[in-house]
PDB file of all heavy atoms in Angstrom:
ATOM      1  N   SER A  24     -14.832-135.002 -60.972  1.00 83.00           N
ATOM      2  CA  SER A  24     -13.734-134.448 -60.197  1.00 83.00           C
ATOM      3  C   SER A  24     -14.028-133.246 -59.373  1.00 83.00           C
ATOM      4  O   SER A  24     -13.186-132.813 -58.579  1.00 83.00           O
ATOM      5  CB  SER A  24     -12.645-134.006 -61.296  1.00 83.00           C
ATOM      6  OG  SER A  24     -12.992-132.897 -62.023  1.00 83.00           O
ATOM      7  N   ALA A  37     -28.112-138.151 -48.767  1.00 88.00           N
ATOM      8  CA  ALA A  37     -29.110-137.137 -48.529  1.00 88.00           C
ATOM      9  C   ALA A  37     -30.248-137.037 -49.605  1.00 88.00           C
ATOM     10  O   ALA A  37     -31.430-136.951 -49.339  1.00 88.00           O
ATOM     11  CB  ALA A  37     -28.383-135.759 -48.521  1.00 88.00           C
ATOM     12  N   ALA A  47     -42.928-140.934 -49.572  1.00 93.00           N
ATOM     13  CA  ALA A  47     -43.807-141.239 -48.352  1.00 93.00           C
ATOM     14  C   ALA A  47     -44.934-140.262 -48.099  1.00 93.00           C
ATOM     15  O   ALA A  47     -45.942-140.538 -47.623  1.00 93.00           O
ATOM     16  CB  ALA A  47     -42.933-141.269 -46.969  1.00 93.00           C
ATOM     17  N   LEU A  53     -38.694-134.058 -58.130  1.00 91.00           N
ATOM     18  CA  LEU A  53     -38.244-133.222 -59.180  1.00 91.00           C
ATOM     19  C   LEU A  53     -39.325-132.971 -60.122  1.00 91.00           C
ATOM     20  O   LEU A  53     -39.838-133.913 -60.598  1.00 91.00           O
ATOM     21  CB  LEU A  53     -37.021-133.892 -59.931  1.00 91.00           C
ATOM     22  CG  LEU A  53     -35.639-133.735 -59.186  1.00 91.00           C
ATOM     23  CD1 LEU A  53     -34.610-134.467 -60.089  1.00 91.00           C
ATOM     24  CD2 LEU A  53     -35.255-132.181 -59.095  1.00 91.00           C
ATOM     25  N   ALA A  61     -38.565-127.111 -47.919  1.00 94.00           N
ATOM     26  CA  ALA A  61     -38.519-126.626 -46.534  1.00 94.00           C
ATOM     27  C   ALA A  61     -38.937-127.674 -45.558  1.00 94.00           C
ATOM     28  O   ALA A  61     -38.416-127.789 -44.575  1.00 94.00           O
ATOM     29  CB  ALA A  61     -39.415-125.414 -46.502  1.00 94.00           C
ATOM     30  N   THR A  72     -28.302-134.719 -34.038  1.00 63.00           N
ATOM     31  CA  THR A  72     -28.005-135.033 -32.624  1.00 63.00           C
ATOM     32  C   THR A  72     -26.560-135.144 -32.315  1.00 63.00           C
ATOM     33  O   THR A  72     -26.180-135.260 -31.306  1.00 63.00           O
ATOM     34  CB  THR A  72     -28.827-136.290 -32.163  1.00 63.00           C
ATOM     35  OG1 THR A  72     -28.437-137.378 -32.942  1.00 63.00           O
ATOM     36  CG2 THR A  72     -30.329-136.139 -32.204  1.00 63.00           C
ATOM     37  N   ARG A  78     -22.452-132.200 -39.598  1.00 63.00           N
ATOM     38  CA  ARG A  78     -21.528-132.072 -40.766  1.00 63.00           C
ATOM     39  C   ARG A  78     -22.186-132.459 -42.091  1.00 63.00           C
ATOM     40  O   ARG A  78     -22.068-131.817 -43.065  1.00 63.00           O
ATOM     41  CB  ARG A  78     -20.215-132.906 -40.518  1.00 63.00           C
ATOM     42  CG  ARG A  78     -19.272-132.747 -41.569  1.00 63.00           C
ATOM     43  CD  ARG A  78     -17.925-133.655 -41.307  1.00 63.00           C
ATOM     44  NE  ARG A  78     -17.048-133.703 -42.447  1.00 63.00           N
ATOM     45  CZ  ARG A  78     -17.243-134.454 -43.544  1.00 63.00           C
ATOM     46  NH1 ARG A  78     -18.234-135.320 -43.579  1.00 63.00           N
ATOM     47  NH2 ARG A  78     -16.388-134.356 -44.522  1.00 63.00           N
ATOM     48  N   PHE A  80     -25.372-132.470 -42.712  1.00 61.00           N
ATOM     49  CA  PHE A  80     -26.432-131.505 -43.003  1.00 61.00           C
ATOM     50  C   PHE A  80     -25.754-130.347 -43.638  1.00 61.00           C
ATOM     51  O   PHE A  80     -26.213-129.739 -44.647  1.00 61.00           O
ATOM     52  CB  PHE A  80     -27.193-131.146 -41.731  1.00 61.00           C
ATOM     53  CG  PHE A  80     -28.369-130.298 -42.067  1.00 61.00           C
ATOM     54  CD1 PHE A  80     -29.482-130.766 -42.675  1.00 61.00           C
ATOM     55  CD2 PHE A  80     -28.251-128.910 -41.647  1.00 61.00           C
ATOM     56  CE1 PHE A  80     -30.573-129.925 -42.877  1.00 61.00           C
ATOM     57  CE2 PHE A  80     -29.359-128.051 -41.979  1.00 61.00           C
ATOM     58  CZ  PHE A  80     -30.511-128.644 -42.555  1.00 61.00           C
TER      59      PHE A  80
END
Side-chain angles (χ1 to χ4, degrees):
S24 67
L53 281 178
T72 58
R78 182 178 174 277
F80 186 73

